[in-house]
Amino acid sequence: MNFFEGETKPISPLDALNGTAALSLDQLRSVLIRLEDTIIFNLIERAQFARNAAIYDENAPEFRQLNFKGSFVQYLLREMECVYARVRRYTSPDEHPFTPRHALPEPILPTLAYPQVLHPNDININDDIYRIYVQHVIPTLCNSVNDQQYGSAGTRDVECLQALSRRIHFGKFIAEAKFQDPNEHADYVRMIKAKDSQGIMERLTNSKVEEQVLARLRKKALTYGQDLNDVPSNEPQRPGTPLRGIHLADVVVDLYKEYVIPLTKEVEVDYLLKRLD
Amino acid sequence: MNFFEGETKPISPLDALNGTAALSLDQLRSVLIRLEDTIIFNLIERAQFARNAAIYDENAPEFRQLNFKGSFVQYLLREMECVYARVRRYTSPDEHPFTPRHALPEPILPTLAYPQVLHPNDININDDIYRIYVQHVIPTLCNSVNDQQYGSAGTRDVECLQALSRRIHFGKFIAEAKFQDPNEHADYVRMIKAKDSQGIMERLTNSKVEEQVLARLRKKALTYGQDLNDVPSNEPQRPGTPLRGIHLADVVVDLYKEYVIPLTKEVEVDYLLKRLD
């Protein structure tokens, strides 16, 4: 079994291996569906705090004393990932650090033997995920002011980024399952040999399923984003009040439509193109 | 303004200081109400994983290599709190580490000047919170099996414990606000001088408000705990499936009724008994 493997999901993707060493696409999908809740909860938690642009600014004077080449959020990512690396999180094939691996410590706990489900690869698009999150997600999610809640905002960012990274890199397992599917296998082999990335992308795309994902996300965001707090009506509007409900649903649907789904497919294509190496 | 001060809440308790240096009880309550959502989200996230009793066992052979005197969850708490301490989290009067302060590093970032709202005190009941969480919350929240998702479960525990600690230690601010209330001040001074902890406890207790809190918590848990995943009905029941909805509501209401509310009042009484020292 797996350590950290099951983060934010009820079953492990490696549990989805059945006796024939084939991955169950249905079980992988149920992992992705559960991760939607985690991502929405994390976004709600982040949205209580203002944007605080300084925490993404590599030259912010507020954090000069950290003596770190990068933003405050990247500093927090590295520090947290050092803790996780020591307890062997990044030995699991579905975990990808934002910090370069050479900058992380060796595990203290002995590494577990994972079943070799994936073709060996070093695909990691966390740099893209970080950039998109900072440039496109945070500005629409958060109040644009600076409330100076830097630590609170930054730790929520770490949670959001890790959940998004798990979701997107899960594309490797999805791609492997599709590659192993007897009805698809020969076509994928042909397209991979022809380096036909466009053909692979088209084959991976199921617009009907993507529409279902977006509809389910809207339903979840509207449900979880409700403000159920019976604060007395004579209370002043609270500053930095969570952007919940309808606005949250727009943010979540847009995030998936514009970034999460395309990036997951990008991982799938990258993985498949190297599948026969 | 405050660093880490605003964790998991839209306004800072120190913002609740108005011009007269009196704390606004209404604003403090809105912080506590928002923290309910954070606690419920964290419990939902923890409940996806099994209990994994080994992570609370100080002698578990699985974690012997960490060479740490304490459980795996206590190890994770210490490691994370070291990161937080360096970015000055525990210089904020509403943050309380689980790790003894002497075992934490000094802040790298310069300490902020917080307004002196609270009477100086070193009340920290995190040892009680940890014990109750492990002995009473986890067994009712989680499936009792061991799914070996130790890292995933343990990091969720850290989130749950930190949110509960913030909620419970917020009693200091509530107590200070009540102490400053001109309608209550003389009575509190009298009871404090008489060391009348029972009288103080009775004065702090508002059964009607407590009932409202529990009713709101049930509504929130039933709402946020819904399973909105349209997993195909021919899917097998997933192992360790989240205990959502009705069961979650029972767990959350019981947690607040039996532990969170009484412990918050315990902090309030402890704080007030030393308020005139």
Side-chain angles (χ1 to χ4, degrees):
Chain A
M1 294 290 291
N2 329 295
F3 186 78
F4 258 114
E5 239 296 313
E7 172 116 57
T8 62
K9 66 191 193 312
I11 55 161
S12 142
L14 305 187
D15 286 347
L17 269 174
N18 66 31
T20 65
L23 288 158
S24 155
L25 209 49
D26 275 349
Q27 289 194 307
L28 291 175
R29 285 211 180 100
S30 81
V31 174
L32 296 186
I33 288 171
R34 180 58 187 80
L35 259 172
E36 293 165 1
D37 299 26
T38 298
I39 290 171
I40 292 172
F41 293 155
N42 285 335
L43 292 173
I44 291 172
E45 289 295 289
R46 175 62 182 90
Q48 341 173 44
F49 306 105
R51 180 173 173 185
N52 293 311
I55 66 178
Y56 311 109
D57 176 358
E58 300 190 9
N59 301 307
E62 290 93 329
F63 304 112
R64 200 186 303 126
Q65 288 90 345
L66 294 176
N67 231 334
F68 177 72
K69 200 172 148 56
S71 69
F72 176 63
V73 169
Q74 286 169 319
Y75 170 84
L76 281 180
L77 278 166
R78 186 195 63 176
E79 294 296 298
M80 309 278 229
E81 289 181 339
C82 285
V83 175
Y84 295 137
R86 285 193 288 268
V87 294
R88 72 183 164 202
R89 179 171 183 164
Y90 303 109
T91 62
S92 177
D94 65 336
E95 291 286 352
H96 300 76
F98 284 80
T99 306
R101 284 191 186 258
H102 64 79
L104 292 175
E106 291 295 315
I108 299 176
L109 293 178
T111 303
L112 299 175
Y114 292 99
Q116 186 75 30
V117 176
L118 297 180
H119 189 70
N121 72 88
D122 57 3
I123 296 164
N124 180 332
I125 63 164
N126 278 341
D127 285 351
D128 293 331
I129 294 171
Y130 177 83
R131 185 179 46 75
I132 285 166
Y133 178 78
V134 172
Q135 291 181 3
H136 299 286
V137 182
I138 284 298
T140 58
L141 180 70
C142 297
N143 191 320
S144 65
V145 301
N146 180 337
D147 63 10
Q148 292 184 280
Q149 310 275 5
Y150 298 146
S152 304
T155 48
R156 298 304 133 234
D157 283 332
V158 169
E159 298 288 325
C160 288
L161 285 163
Q162 288 178 334
L164 289 169
S165 174
R166 281 201 83 240
R167 167 59 167 84
I168 290 164
H169 288 101
F170 233 79
K172 297 181 185 181
F173 292 91
I174 302 285
E176 180 64 27
K178 289 177 176 173
F179 180 80
Q180 289 182 14
D181 182 338
N183 298 322
E184 311 247 30
H185 186 72
D187 284 352
Y188 276 119
V189 168
R190 181 181 47 75
M191 290 188 287
I192 292 166
K193 285 183 172 165
K195 299 195 199 320
D196 180 7
S197 56
Q198 199 185 333
I200 295 172
M201 180 65 89
E202 280 165 22
R203 176 63 72 102
L204 292 170
T205 301
N206 185 332
S207 302
K208 188 161 156 274
V209 168
E210 290 178 13
E211 288 302 320
Q212 286 170 352
V213 170
L214 298 180
R216 186 176 57 236
L217 283 162
R218 184 171 295 281
K219 182 173 68 172
K220 287 183 178 181
L222 288 172
T223 303
Y224 303 148
Q226 289 176 84
D227 192 337
L228 300 174
N229 302 325
D230 50 1
V231 177
S233 58
N234 60 352
E235 276 281 295
Q237 183 65 25
R238 290 170 291 165
T241 199
L243 300 168
R244 296 177 76 164
I246 294 170
H247 178 70
L248 177 77
D250 289 342
V251 169
V252 170
V253 170
D254 190 66
L255 165 63
Y256 264 73
K257 187 175 177 183
E258 300 299 328
Y259 306 110
V260 173
I261 293 173
L263 288 173
T264 304
K265 290 197 288 191
E266 190 183 309
V267 168
E268 292 180 51
V269 172
D270 287 356
Y271 176 84
L272 287 170
L273 284 173
K274 295 170 188 154
R275 181 61 182 79
L276 299 174
D277 290 359
Chain B
M1 292 290 293
N2 333 296
F3 187 79
F4 258 113
E5 239 294 315
E7 173 114 56
T8 61
K9 64 190 194 309
I11 56 163
S12 141
L14 305 187
D15 286 348
L17 268 174
N18 66 29
T20 65
L23 288 159
S24 155
L25 208 50
D26 275 349
Q27 290 195 306
L28 291 175
R29 285 211 179 102
S30 80
V31 175
L32 296 188
I33 288 171
R34 179 59 187 80
L35 259 173
E36 292 164 2
D37 299 27
T38 298
I39 289 170
I40 292 171
F41 293 155
N42 286 335
L43 292 173
I44 291 172
E45 290 295 289
R46 175 61 181 91
Q48 340 172 44
F49 306 106
R51 180 173 173 185
N52 291 313
I55 66 178
Y56 311 109
D57 176 358
E58 300 190 9
N59 300 310
E62 291 93 328
F63 304 112
R64 199 185 305 124
Q65 287 90 344
L66 294 176
N67 231 333
F68 177 72
K69 198 173 148 58
S71 69
F72 176 63
V73 169
Q74 286 170 319
Y75 171 83
L76 280 180
L77 278 167
R78 186 195 65 174
E79 293 296 297
M80 308 280 227
E81 290 182 338
C82 285
V83 175
Y84 296 137
R86 286 193 287 268
V87 295
R88 69 180 168 206
R89 180 170 183 163
Y90 303 109
T91 63
S92 178
D94 64 336
E95 291 285 353
H96 300 76
F98 285 79
T99 306
R101 284 190 187 258
H102 65 79
L104 292 175
E106 290 295 314
I108 299 176
L109 293 178
T111 303
L112 299 175
Y114 293 98
Q116 186 74 29
V117 177
L118 297 180
H119 188 71
N121 72 88
D122 56 3
I123 297 164
N124 180 333
I125 63 164
N126 277 340
D127 285 350
D128 293 331
I129 295 171
Y130 178 84
R131 184 179 46 75
I132 286 166
Y133 178 79
V134 172
Q135 291 181 1
H136 300 286
V137 181
I138 285 297
T140 58
L141 181 70
C142 297
N143 190 319
S144 65
V145 301
N146 180 338
D147 63 11
Q148 290 183 282
Q149 310 277 4
Y150 298 146
S152 305
T155 49
R156 299 302 133 237
D157 283 332
V158 169
E159 298 287 325
C160 288
L161 286 163
Q162 289 178 334
L164 288 169
S165 173
R166 281 202 82 239
R167 167 57 167 84
I168 290 165
H169 289 101
F170 233 78
K172 296 181 185 181
F173 292 91
I174 303 286
E176 180 63 28
K178 288 176 176 174
F179 180 79
Q180 288 182 15
D181 181 338
N183 298 321
E184 311 247 32
H185 186 73
D187 285 352
Y188 277 117
V189 168
R190 180 180 47 73
M191 291 188 288
I192 292 165
K193 284 182 174 165
K195 301 193 196 319
D196 179 8
S197 55
Q198 199 186 334
I200 296 173
M201 181 64 92
E202 280 165 20
R203 177 63 72 101
L204 291 169
T205 300
N206 184 332
S207 302
K208 189 160 156 273
V209 167
E210 291 178 12
E211 287 302 320
Q212 286 169 352
V213 169
L214 298 179
R216 187 176 56 237
L217 283 162
R218 184 170 294 281
K219 182 172 68 171
K220 287 183 177 181
L222 288 171
T223 304
Y224 304 147
Q226 289 176 83
D227 192 336
L228 301 173
N229 302 325
D230 49 2
V231 176
S233 57
N234 59 353
E235 277 281 296
Q237 183 67 22
R238 290 169 290 166
T241 200
L243 300 167
R244 297 177 77 163
I246 294 170
H247 178 70
L248 177 77
D250 289 341
V251 170
V252 170
V253 169
D254 190 65
L255 165 63
Y256 264 71
K257 188 175 177 182
E258 299 299 329
Y259 305 111
V260 173
I261 292 173
L263 287 174
T264 305
K265 290 197 287 191
E266 188 182 311
V267 167
E268 292 181 50
V269 172
D270 286 357
Y271 176 84
L272 287 170
L273 285 174
K274 295 170 187 154
R275 181 61 181 80
L276 299 174
D277 291 358

